[in-house]
Amino acid sequence: MPVTTGRKQRLVTRLQRYVANPVNRRLPFQTLLETTGRVSGKPRRTPVGGRRVGGSFWLVSEYGYASQYVRNIQADPRVRVRVGGRCHRGVAHLLPDDDPRARLRSLPRFNSAAVRAFGTDLLTVRVDLAD
């Protein structure tokens, strides 16, 4: 029996939230995206896969506008990205007109494969880094 998109998203999100993300956030080499919670105002750190290209950091959200960090970006686009153990401030931009599948081909393979496998509504995000 096929798993519906909504059910698939709920299952994967729970696995990420309660198992994968708590472990990954502690790994010093893991790339983290820090947003400000749209309701709580507290920092929210999400492990992400992406790549720095010049003064920008690129990633693809697997659930598009349904991702909690994307909703936080919509409320406040000022973010921080930890790449290679170093934190950078930046401003995130949601790019619905960008081809996320083509973008994934230019990002790290392991994460890109997971995003393609589990994602249901891909959305490209670019963070313009200030420092």
Side-chain angles (χ1 to χ4, degrees):
M1 175 190 295
V3 177
T4 64
T5 298
R7 186 172 174 202
K8 177 181 178 181
Q9 180 181 348
R10 283 191 305 274
L11 290 170
V12 172
T13 299
R14 283 187 185 140
L15 177 67
Q16 289 172 330
R17 182 177 294 150
Y18 298 112
V19 179
N21 289 356
V23 171
N24 287 333
R25 274 193 292 265
R26 297 180 194 284
L27 300 174
F29 56 84
Q30 175 66 51
T31 301
L32 293 178
L33 175 68
E34 182 180 293
T35 60
T36 301
R38 63 191 177 282
V39 175
S40 70
K42 295 179 181 179
R44 300 298 181 195
R45 291 172 195 90
T46 305
V48 295
R51 175 168 282 143
R52 183 174 181 166
V53 179
S56 297
F57 182 81
W58 292 84
L59 67 127
V60 174
S61 167
E62 59 194 344
Y63 301 121
Y65 291 100
S67 293
Q68 297 301 315
Y69 69 86
V70 169
R71 291 178 179 184
N72 289 342
I73 288 169
Q74 287 178 302
D76 183 356
R78 293 171 298 170
V79 300
R80 289 186 349 149
V81 180
R82 184 180 79 184
V83 183
R86 194 162 166 239
C87 289
H88 305 273
R89 294 185 188 279
V91 178
H93 303 277
L94 307 177
L95 305 173
D97 294 332
D98 190 67
D99 181 355
R101 294 201 180 277
R103 181 70 54 193
L104 284 171
R105 288 192 288 276
S106 70
L107 299 178
R109 285 186 191 184
F110 181 74
N111 180 263
S112 295
V115 169
R116 275 192 296 277
F118 298 120
T120 57
D121 187 21
L122 306 181
L123 175 67
T124 302
V125 179
R126 183 188 77 231
V127 178
D128 294 332
L129 304 173
D131 52 355

